[in-house]
Amino acid sequence: MGGHGYSGWWGNMGGPKHRGIVTYQLSPYEMKTNAHLISKGTHNFFRRTSSQLGYILPGVFLFWAVTHFGKKRHEYINSKAGHAAEHGH
């Protein structure tokens, strides 16, 4: 079971060197993270949201309908008319 001790951090595990693999990296100081955020960001937000409405709205409507029915039923059962109808008085 013997461990060999610390073998290094990710990417530097002490194994054989990889050959033929080229990696590129961009400095975080060179990236423009908020470039075109207002001009293109709002358009993309609405475009992506509108493409998902067919999946979201049925669930939202079902949740609203069940909640609405439950609240109305609760109000009726706890009203004078609801007590009379449920208990047959």
Side-chain angles (χ1 to χ4, degrees):
M1 295 293 285
H4 297 107
Y6 181 72
S7 63
W9 192 241
W10 291 107
N12 188 19
M13 300 296 258
K17 299 292 181 193
H18 293 285
R19 297 175 65 182
I21 297 176
V22 179
T23 59
Y24 297 94
Q25 185 174 351
L26 183 63
S27 167
Y29 299 109
E30 295 181 29
M31 289 190 278
K32 297 179 182 177
T33 56
N34 293 327
H36 308 292
L37 180 66
I38 302 300
S39 62
K40 294 183 180 178
T42 52
H43 175 264
N44 282 338
F45 171 77
F46 288 114
R47 180 181 57 84
R48 291 177 178 172
T49 304
S50 64
S51 70
Q52 297 298 316
L53 286 178
Y55 301 104
I56 296 170
L57 285 182
V60 170
F61 177 74
L62 181 65
F63 176 77
W64 174 82
V66 169
T67 305
H68 183 72
F69 171 77
K71 284 183 179 181
K72 291 294 183 184
R73 180 76 177 149
H74 183 263
E75 289 174 5
Y76 173 73
I77 288 174
N78 290 318
S79 69
K80 193 173 190 178
H83 279 288
E86 290 292 321
H87 298 297
H89 292 37

